[in-house]
Amino acid sequence: MNDTTVTLVGNVATAVEYRDTATGGVARFRFAVTARRWDREKELWIDGPTSFYTVSAWRSLGANLAASVSVGEPLVVHGRLRVREDERDGQRKTFVDVAALAVGHDLSRGTAAFRRSVRTEPRSEALSGHGAAPVGPFGPEGGQERGAGSERAPVLGPAPERDPWADAAADAVAGEATRLVTAS
């Protein structure tokens, strides 16, 4: 199947709604993307029109998203695009949906501290006995998605007491920048 994949940079417009379903949890939210351009005459950025998308994230991505994202936060969303038309109140309306494959905070606009989620049970045990069929990116009727079956919502591990990256960023802002070196 030829899917149209897109990468969107914008802001969370509505609260993330998370629901458990028979085929795995799903998180949904509205995402606002505003084009900006530099006006040479006025020497400032001008906002263009804003486009809104409904983003859906299934299983562990959805659970992690619901635990990590709030209204107004800048994100980068990568996923499959689907445009659909529906008739409501006698008018034909167009809806644009994105089935998220990956979501992350836009680090050009702030910092983030990553916490690895802890699975409540091994994946092979979570899938055995459930007999759930793979779920597509837009729910049970959509195409194939990575993984299959249902998973329990992950439990986030504790945040570190001191985050060296956040400390370094704060020092850089204060003019006391130190250099962080990591070993590979």
Side-chain angles (χ1 to χ4, degrees):
M1 182 151 104
N2 293 327
D3 290 325
T4 302
T5 56
V6 294
T7 301
L8 305 170
V9 179
N11 294 304
V12 179
T14 62
V16 177
E17 177 187 313
Y18 182 80
R19 289 182 298 173
D20 279 315
T21 67
T23 55
V26 61
R28 284 196 172 93
F29 66 96
R30 296 283 286 161
F31 192 58
V33 177
T34 303
R36 299 187 83 202
R37 67 176 180 81
W38 179 253
D39 187 327
R40 290 184 194 184
E41 293 175 8
K42 296 179 183 174
E43 294 187 358
L44 55 95
W45 288 97
I46 303 292
D47 285 343
T50 300
S51 298
F52 289 90
Y53 302 86
T54 300
V55 178
S56 299
W58 289 86
R59 291 178 286 289
S60 62
L61 176 59
N64 290 340
L65 196 140
S68 304
V69 172
S70 300
V71 174
E73 292 183 350
L75 296 180
V76 177
V77 174
H78 178 76
R80 293 185 182 108
L81 182 71
R82 183 172 84 170
V83 178
R84 59 190 170 85
E85 290 186 10
D86 196 8
E87 191 167 324
R88 291 189 183 175
D89 302 325
Q91 291 184 334
R92 200 123 178 96
K93 298 204 176 217
T94 302
F95 299 92
V96 184
D97 300 327
V98 176
L101 300 173
V103 177
H105 283 97
D106 183 354
L107 297 181
S108 69
R109 296 172 51 202
T111 62
F114 178 80
R115 288 181 284 154
R116 189 170 303 278
S117 59
V118 179
R119 293 191 186 274
T120 56
E121 56 188 64
R123 184 168 175 79
S124 60
E125 288 180 24
L127 296 177
S128 66
H130 286 25
V135 176
F138 296 104
E141 77 284 351
Q144 286 287 93
E145 169 103 63
R146 290 185 289 184
S150 62
E151 296 178 18
R152 290 187 182 192
V155 177
L156 296 179
E161 285 186 34
R162 290 195 64 230
D163 180 3
W165 296 104
D167 293 344
D171 290 345
V173 169
E176 304 167 6
T178 58
R179 192 167 174 197
L180 280 179
V181 178
T182 60
S184 316

